[in-house]
Amino acid sequence: MSYLPDTFAALGNTTRFAIVERLLNEGELPAGEFLDIGDVSPPAISRHFKVLREAGIVVQRVDKQRRMYSVRPEVVRGINVWAMSYRQFWQGSLDRLALALEKERGKI
Amino acid sequence: MSYLPDTFAALGNTTRFAIVERLLNEGELPAGEFLDIGDVSPPAISRHFKVLREAGIVVQRVDKQRRMYSVRPEVVRGINVWAMSYRQFWQGSLDRLALALEKERGKI
DNA sequence: CTTATAATTCCTGTTTACGTTAATTAACAA
DNA sequence: TTGTTAATTAACGTAAACAGGAATTATAAG
């Protein structure tokens, strides 16, 4: 069985997706850094991190009173592996699109 | 704004994920072909396809009484583009893992 | 015209998701 | 000790997700 549906379910919430993107761009950050993300309360942030943790998307590191969060690289890589496994499918359509554009260009 | 959270939300259901994987592997199929996927009723299948359509993941083609469904290649490609945009992040961790394994091998 | 097939929509009930305020835990600082 | 900061858990309410059976629509076949 694949773990991907659980991963996607966790990323299928705009607040959590924004959290993950920010962690990906800025690296490890404490939970408190996300209070400005789309007006959510501290309890809401905390529960979103719990969902992300339980889906295996982030890991927590305790530093004094703060909980530092970071994204597990394998997760993003896993998504990439999945999408790449269907590369022939989507690459093919890209090639056909490029070909069609070439032909259009020829007509003009 | 990114459409990815909606895409992930739609794929974050095991039944819908199974539907999409099957369409990716076997190509265009009628809705009725999915009645064996984890004992779901025709209405349930129909509603899952509606979610997938509204998320832009699949397209419908009418053929007599049948509704033929197929995956939009741009969607899978879009997921790939997103994951690839963080390649440095997950590739880096892979390299460190490989290096660690090399060192371990050296010790043995 | 009548029946069968394919899929959907309607109606309804149950579960899950998500947010808020209040209370709690843990660490730090005066 | 007392107060402050960081984050979580508890309790509660509302909205959305999801499922099933019944009814509906559209096409095909006898």
Side-chain angles (χ1 to χ4, degrees):
Chain A
M1 268 295 122
S2 175
Y3 50 86
L4 270 174
D6 285 333
T7 302
F8 287 150
L11 294 175
N13 171 283
T14 50
T15 303
R16 283 193 295 269
F17 185 76
I19 288 174
V20 169
E21 286 237 290
R22 185 146 166 207
L23 288 175
L24 285 169
N25 287 315
E26 303 180 29
E28 192 185 48
L29 287 171
E33 276 293 304
F34 296 87
L35 286 167
D36 52 349
I37 268 186
D39 60 5
V40 266
S41 60
I45 294 286
S46 186
R47 272 192 304 274
H48 279 308
F49 272 115
K50 188 180 182 184
V51 172
L52 290 172
R53 256 186 285 122
E54 289 178 349
I57 294 175
V58 302
V59 284
Q60 187 193 63
R61 182 175 68 83
V62 177
D63 170 41
K64 311 294 167 87
Q65 314 105 302
R66 298 189 306 174
R67 307 298 141 89
M68 308 298 294
Y69 287 102
S70 54
V71 176
R72 293 181 54 215
E74 315 91 275
V75 172
V76 188
R77 185 172 163 269
I79 292 172
N80 184 251
V81 166
W82 180 78
M84 284 299 280
S85 76
Y86 295 106
R87 181 169 189 173
Q88 273 203 25
F89 170 71
W90 53 261
Q91 181 71 265
S93 78
L94 264 193
D95 293 345
R96 282 190 294 280
L97 179 65
L99 197 64
L101 288 174
E102 287 276 327
K103 286 187 180 175
E104 275 307 307
R105 177 183 286 268
K107 286 179 189 171
I108 298 164
Chain B
M1 265 298 120
S2 175
Y3 50 87
L4 270 174
D6 286 332
T7 301
F8 288 150
L11 293 175
N13 169 285
T14 50
T15 303
R16 283 194 294 270
F17 185 76
I19 287 174
V20 169
E21 286 237 289
R22 185 143 165 211
L23 287 175
L24 285 170
N25 287 315
E26 303 179 30
E28 193 187 47
L29 286 172
E33 276 293 304
F34 297 87
L35 285 167
D36 53 348
I37 268 184
D39 60 2
V40 266
S41 61
I45 295 286
S46 185
R47 276 191 303 271
H48 280 308
F49 272 114
K50 188 180 183 184
V51 173
L52 290 171
R53 256 186 286 124
E54 289 178 349
I57 294 176
V58 302
V59 285
Q60 189 193 62
R61 180 176 70 84
V62 177
D63 170 40
K64 312 293 169 90
Q65 315 103 302
R66 299 188 306 176
R67 308 297 142 89
M68 307 299 294
Y69 286 102
S70 55
V71 176
R72 292 182 55 216
E74 315 90 276
V75 172
V76 188
R77 185 172 164 269
I79 292 172
N80 185 65
V81 166
W82 179 78
M84 284 299 281
S85 76
Y86 295 107
R87 182 170 187 171
Q88 274 203 27
F89 171 72
W90 53 260
Q91 181 70 265
S93 78
L94 264 194
D95 293 346
R96 283 190 293 281
L97 178 65
L99 196 65
L101 287 174
E102 287 277 326
K103 286 187 179 174
E104 275 308 306
R105 176 183 286 267
K107 285 179 188 169
I108 297 164

